[in-house]
Amino acid sequence: MVSQDARNASEDSCLLESGTARKAYEGDDLLASRTFHDVKHTTTTEMHKTEGGLLKPIIFGGLDGILTSFAIVSGSAGGNLSRSVILILGFSNIFADALSMGVGEFLSSKAESEWILSERKREVWEMDNYPEGEIQEMIDIYTRRGMDRGDATKVIEIMSKYKEFFVDIMMAEELELQVPEENYQMESFKEGVVMFCSFAFFGALPLTGYVVIPLYMPELNDYLFETACVVTGVVLFCMGCVKSFFSTTHWLQCGLETFLLGGACATLAYIIGQYVDLMQSDPET
């Protein structure tokens, strides 16, 4: 078994290597691409990453956290609520939501892995009881994807000699499912913890000004909401830029997209807060 530290190091290496290959492609650099593939075939390090690892809970948790928190701040500011009320609503909601998101991520990831493993058991049973049918299904799949039937038959018959390997191939090609690692429960738990921490950390950022400014810069007390807007805008833009490293979209486009979507959510919350405050102050409307 490969240790977790080794696996994490391999994942980090994969991200760097995939970035190298992408740069060669985007720059139409044939020499860099050739060098990358030559090195790939002379190393024992796993070069491809088949899943997002912890990227998904970090990005999704962070975006959910900061947008949820900033929506609360915006709605509260639009409703002219006091600083203490904003802090109470903000922090209580953020940490409750962070726990909910973390538990949800753990349970959903664990349930998905268990379902995939149950499907794999079914494929193993079918392979044990009717291998000819499974082999024929795979030949049909490869033929539909453009292979000559004769070539597909040769390939599948060779792979079917290695049962465990062939079952995993069937899972990927027939069911389009990635078989989880043996320690999937720990991986699901880790994703839940990362989701919680990411949601809580980024969710707390729009509220930091409401804590720090009154203590250290009281002369800026009239600009608490504006400070939250600036902090949130910068963080949203930076998170969008980080996302671009794992996609083909330009970093500026990713950053602006995330920034604008976050701004739209906050604007809606602010308008609703103003409207509710107006209704409360004028019951006859």
Side-chain angles (χ1 to χ4, degrees):
M1 287 292 290
V2 181
S3 69
Q4 188 60 45
D5 289 341
R7 185 180 291 109
N8 290 338
S10 176
E11 289 180 353
D12 292 340
S13 176
C14 289
L15 292 176
L16 292 174
E17 290 157 353
S18 63
T20 302
R22 187 182 302 115
K23 288 180 180 178
Y25 162 71
E26 293 175 349
D28 196 24
D29 191 336
L30 298 180
L31 178 60
S33 178
R34 185 187 300 273
T35 302
F36 170 77
H37 285 87
D38 288 343
V39 171
K40 180 175 70 173
H41 291 299
T42 58
T43 182
T44 59
T45 302
E46 183 181 0
M47 301 294 284
H48 291 284
K49 186 172 175 61
T50 58
E51 58 181 351
L54 299 179
L55 174 65
K56 175 187 171 183
I58 290 175
I59 296 296
F60 285 2
L63 285 174
D64 282 350
I66 196 169
L67 289 177
T68 299
S69 177
F70 191 51
I72 293 172
V73 171
S74 299
S76 300
N80 293 315
L81 299 183
S82 65
R83 168 180 168 269
S84 60
V85 172
I86 292 176
L87 288 176
I88 292 171
L89 289 176
F91 280 112
S92 61
N93 187 277
I94 286 304
F95 282 96
D97 280 357
L99 181 60
S100 175
M101 293 287 290
V103 172
E105 178 69 20
F106 165 68
L107 293 177
S108 63
S109 176
K110 179 172 174 289
E112 181 182 19
S113 296
E114 290 173 347
W115 171 69
I116 292 174
L117 290 175
S118 70
E119 288 296 301
R120 189 182 189 280
K121 287 182 181 179
R122 180 176 63 83
E123 290 293 334
V124 171
W125 181 85
E126 292 177 348
M127 187 64 184
D128 288 338
N129 290 275
Y130 187 36
E132 297 83 3
E134 295 300 311
I135 291 173
Q136 189 59 51
E137 285 183 358
M138 291 296 294
I139 292 174
D140 291 341
I141 290 173
Y142 277 43
T143 301
R144 286 197 300 269
R145 294 188 178 183
M147 286 188 69
D148 176 77
R149 192 166 192 84
D151 291 340
T153 301
K154 292 178 183 178
V155 170
I156 297 303
E157 287 180 348
I158 292 173
M159 290 194 297
S160 65
K161 296 178 181 178
Y162 309 93
K163 178 181 172 182
E164 294 299 316
F165 167 75
F166 187 60
V167 169
D168 288 341
I169 293 296
M170 287 194 296
M171 292 291 293
E173 298 292 342
E174 182 182 348
L175 303 180
E176 297 183 355
L177 297 175
Q178 183 69 36
V179 178
E181 300 286 342
E182 293 181 3
N183 61 336
Y184 70 91
Q185 291 182 329
M186 181 56 66
E187 290 300 311
S188 297
F189 176 76
K190 185 191 300 183
E191 290 177 10
V193 171
V194 171
M195 174 68 79
F196 169 82
C197 294
S198 180
F199 192 103
F201 173 77
F202 286 100
L205 292 179
L207 298 168
T208 53
Y210 285 83
V211 176
V212 175
I213 289 178
L215 292 176
Y216 301 104
M217 294 174 284
E219 66 276 7
L220 297 178
N221 279 346
D222 293 335
Y223 302 98
L224 293 177
F225 179 61
E226 288 79 1
T227 302
C229 291
V230 172
V231 171
T232 304
V234 171
V235 174
L236 284 173
F237 181 78
C238 291
M239 291 187 73
C241 292
V242 170
K243 282 199 308 177
S244 70
F245 288 104
F246 307 96
S247 69
T248 57
T249 308
H250 191 272
W251 65 268
L252 182 60
Q253 181 180 341
C254 263
L256 289 176
E257 179 183 60
T258 307
F259 172 79
L260 292 175
L261 288 175
C265 294
T267 301
L268 179 61
Y270 186 85
I271 292 173
I272 292 175
Q274 277 192 325
Y275 181 71
V276 173
D277 180 57
L278 180 62
M279 290 180 62
Q280 293 296 319
S281 60
D282 188 6
E284 295 182 359
T285 55

